[in-house]
C-alpha cells in the first residue's frame, strides 16, 4: 500500500486541491479530494499529480528505436523517465520481411509488458506524402500481406495508419476493423470525399493532423476538415511547436475539444540525444537544434519531443489555467486511452493501473510511478 498526497491532483477530470491517491500493488484502490485519510507515504505539497502519459505514436528515444529488437526496452525506458507509462510503439514503412520481423519483435515486447501494443505507420501510405518514410517501399494494401502482418502481431497490433486513396484500402480497412485494429488516416493525399468514405468504413483516427496530408483548402478541404468535423474521430497532434504553429494547434484543440485530440510525440531515437545523425527505418535523418529532418531536405522527420514537454506545451493553451491543466491531462492520457480502447489506464480512478506522474509548480516532471512502482 502507498498513500500519495499532493497540493493538486487531477482525479478523473476533477482538479482537487489538495488531493490524494492510494495504491496497492499495481493498482489504484482509492483517491479523493482534501486531506489524505492517513499519514502519506509520499507528500508533494507543491506538486501536481496527473495520470501517467499515454503516447500513441512514438518511434523511439534515448538513442534507441522500436524498429530494432535489441533497443525496444531502452526506448521504452527512456520515455518512461519522461512520464510515458503506456506506449503504442510505431513501426515505419519497410520491406515485407523487415516489417514482419519488426512486428514479431514488438509483439514479444507487448506480451512482456514493455510496450502496450503496435502501431503500423505504413507501408500502405501515399508516396507523395511520404514524409520521412521510405517511398520506395510504399505499396497498396494486399489482403495476403495484411493477413500475414495480423498473424505476426498475434493480437498486439492496435492501430494502423493508411492512405485511403490507395487501391485496396477499403478492403484493408474492413479487415483491420474486423481484427479489432484501430484504423487511422494519414500520410495521405486523399480528397475530402475519400476521407469521409474511409471514416464511414470505420477509420476513427487522424494521424498527426495537418502533417503529411494536404493543407485545408476552402475549395478542396481534404482530410483535415473531414477528420476534424467527424465527432467519432480522434486526431493526433504533435504539439511540439515545430510540426504545427501553436496558433494552429490551439485552433484544432478548440475546434475538436481535448476529448478528441491526442498529444503525441512522434519521437525518433534522437529524442534525448545531442544533435547529430540518426536513422528512421532506412532513411537518414539529421537533427539540428532539436529538429529532425530527412538528410539534405527540409522535410521534418518525427520529433525529439517527450510527453512531459508536450504536457507543458498544451497546458499553456487557453486563457483559463485550470481548464488548460484539465485539457492537458485529457489529451495526454484519457483521450489516447479511449481512442485505442485501452482499459484501466488514462485516469486516476480506483481499479485503474497505478500509473502517475508528479509535476512541480512549473509543470516539470519530478517523479513517475508505473504499475505501483516509483521509477
Ligand atoms: Zn508520420
Amino acid at each position: 500500500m502507498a498513500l500519495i498526497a499532493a497540493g493538486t491532483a487531477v482525479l478523473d477530470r476533477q482538479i482537487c486541491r489538495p488531493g490524494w491517491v492510494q495504491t496497492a500493488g499495481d493498482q489504484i484502490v482509492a483517491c479523493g479530494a482534501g486531506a489524505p485519510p492517513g499519514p502519506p507515504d509520499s507528500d508533494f505539497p507543491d506538486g501536481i499529480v496527473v495520470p501517467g502519459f499515454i503516447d500513441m505514436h512514438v518511434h523511439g528515444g534515448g538513442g534507441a528505436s522500436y524498429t530494432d529488437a535489441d533497443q525496444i526496452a531502452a526506448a521504452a525506458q527512456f520515455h518512461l523517465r519522461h512520464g510515458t507509462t503506456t506506449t503504442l510503439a510505431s513501426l515505419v514503412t519497410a520491406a515485407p520481411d523487415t516489417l514482419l520481423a519488426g512486428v514479431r519483435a514488438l509483439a514479444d515486447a507487448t506480451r512482456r509488458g514493455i510496450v502496450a501494443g503496435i502501431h503500423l505507420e505504413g507501408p500502405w501510405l501515399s508516396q507523395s506524402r511520404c514524409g520521412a518514410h521510405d517511398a520506395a517501399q510504399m505499396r497498396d494494401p494486399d489482403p495476403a500481406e495484411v493477413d500475414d502482418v495480423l498473424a505476426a502481431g498475434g493480437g498486439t497490433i492496435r492501430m494502423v495508419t493508411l492512405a485511403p486513396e490507395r487501391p485496396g484500402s477499403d478492403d484493408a480497412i474492413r479487415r483491420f476493423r474486423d481484427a479489432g485494429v484501430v484504423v487511422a488516416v494519414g500520410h495521405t493525399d486523399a480528397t475530402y470525399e475519400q476521407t469521409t468514405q474511409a471514416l464511414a468504413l470505420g477509420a476513427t483516427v487522424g494521424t498527426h493532423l495537418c502533417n503529411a496530408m494536404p493543407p485545408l483548402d476552402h475549395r478542396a478541404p481534404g482530410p483535415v476538415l473531414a477528420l476534424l468535423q467527424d465527432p467519432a474521430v480522434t486526431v493526433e497532434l504533435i504539439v511540439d511547436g515545430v510540426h504545427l504553429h501553436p496558433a494552429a494547434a490551439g485552433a484544432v484543440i478548440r475546434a475538436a475539444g481535448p476529448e478528441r485530440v491526442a498529444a503525441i510525440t512522434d519521437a525518433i531515437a534522437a529524442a534525448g540525444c545531442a544533435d547529430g545523425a540518426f536513422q528512421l527505418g532506412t532513411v537518414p535523418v539529421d537533427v539540428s537544434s532539436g529538429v529532425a529532418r530527412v538528410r539534405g531536405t527540409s522535410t521534418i522527420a518525427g520529433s525529439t519531443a517527450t510527453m512531459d514537454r508536450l504536457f507543458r506545451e498544451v497546458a499553456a493553451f487557453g486563457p483559463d489555467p485550470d481548464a488548460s491543466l484539465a485539457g492537458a491531462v485529457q489529451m495526454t492520457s484519457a483521450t489516447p486511452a479511449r481512442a485505442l480502447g485501452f482499459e484501466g489506464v488514462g485516469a486516476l480512478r480506483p481499479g485503474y493501473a497505478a500509473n502517475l506522474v508528479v509535476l512541480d509548480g512549473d509543470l516539470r516532471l519530478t517523479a513517475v510511478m508505473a504499475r505501483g512502482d516509483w521509477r
Side-chain angles (χ1 to χ4, degrees):
M1 294 279 259
L3 183 57
I4 302 150
T8 304
V10 185
L11 306 176
D12 211 0
R13 292 167 180 248
Q14 247 196 306
I15 299 178
C16 305
R17 292 193 177 94
W20 55 273
V21 177
Q22 185 153 33
T23 68
D26 60 2
Q27 294 226 320
I28 295 168
V29 290
C31 54
D41 302 289
S42 307
D43 195 3
F44 304 97
D46 302 317
I48 304 168
V49 174
V50 299
F53 305 136
I54 299 175
D55 191 356
M56 62 190 281
H57 190 153
V58 52
H59 299 278
S65 175
Y66 287 125
T67 53
D68 187 327
D70 299 330
Q71 299 178 7
I72 294 167
Q77 184 62 34
F78 168 78
H79 284 287
L80 178 59
R81 289 198 299 273
H82 290 274
T84 301
T85 52
T86 303
T87 299
L88 193 65
S90 297
L91 287 174
V92 289
T93 297
D97 288 353
T98 311
L99 183 68
L100 286 174
V103 167
R104 286 193 194 97
L106 278 175
D108 183 53
T110 304
R111 286 188 279 269
R112 290 190 294 148
I114 297 167
V115 297
I118 305 172
H119 164 219
L120 297 178
E121 193 178 20
W124 308 294
L125 307 177
S126 164
Q127 262 129 347
S128 57
R129 300 284 172 181
C130 62
H133 290 249
D134 182 355
Q137 291 298 340
M138 287 179 179
R139 47 196 181 264
D140 293 336
D142 167 68
E145 184 178 30
V146 169
D147 289 348
D148 286 352
V149 168
L150 284 171
T156 62
I157 297 173
R158 214 50 194 241
M159 187 166 84
V160 58
T161 294
L162 54 75
E165 71 275 24
R166 277 211 171 260
S169 69
D170 286 8
D171 181 56
I173 292 171
R174 286 192 206 96
R175 254 166 220 269
F176 281 120
R177 291 300 300 162
D178 289 349
V181 177
V182 172
V183 176
V185 173
H187 286 273
T188 177
D189 221 10
T191 62
Y192 174 85
E193 289 74 16
Q194 286 168 325
T195 308
T196 52
Q197 160 79 356
L199 301 179
L201 288 170
T204 53
V205 169
T207 297
H208 45 55
L209 192 78
C210 303
N211 288 107
M213 60 182 67
L216 197 156
D217 180 297
H218 59 292
R219 292 199 183 88
V224 173
L225 191 62
L227 293 163
L228 263 183
Q229 72 178 17
D230 187 329
V233 169
T234 302
V235 295
E236 298 179 345
L237 275 195
I238 314 171
V239 278
D240 64 348
V242 174
H243 284 76
L244 287 157
H245 191 287
V252 169
I253 293 167
R254 277 191 299 278
E259 295 73 21
R260 290 185 44 216
V261 177
I264 59 159
T265 64
D266 196 13
I268 63 170
C273 300
D275 285 357
F278 295 88
Q279 290 275 133
L280 182 58
T282 55
V283 176
V285 168
D286 286 320
V287 178
S288 170
S289 305
V291 179
R293 295 188 193 277
V294 176
R295 184 161 302 152
T297 77
S298 61
T299 302
I300 306 175
S303 87
T304 58
T306 50
M307 287 297 286
D308 53 339
R309 200 187 111 203
L310 299 188
F311 187 97
R312 278 198 301 281
E313 299 260 357
V314 289
F317 283 125
D320 175 41
D322 274 5
S324 298
L325 176 63
V329 168
Q330 177 77 31
M331 289 184 275
T332 55
S333 56
T335 296
R338 201 211 53 234
L340 297 170
F342 284 153
E343 313 242 337
V345 292
L348 301 179
R349 189 185 294 177
Y352 273 41
N355 296 340
L356 58 87
V357 168
V358 184
L359 307 167
D360 68 13
D362 296 324
L363 302 181
R364 294 197 178 269
L365 185 144
T366 53
V368 181
M369 175 181 274
R371 292 177 210 160
D373 289 325
W374 293 108
R375 305 298 176 118

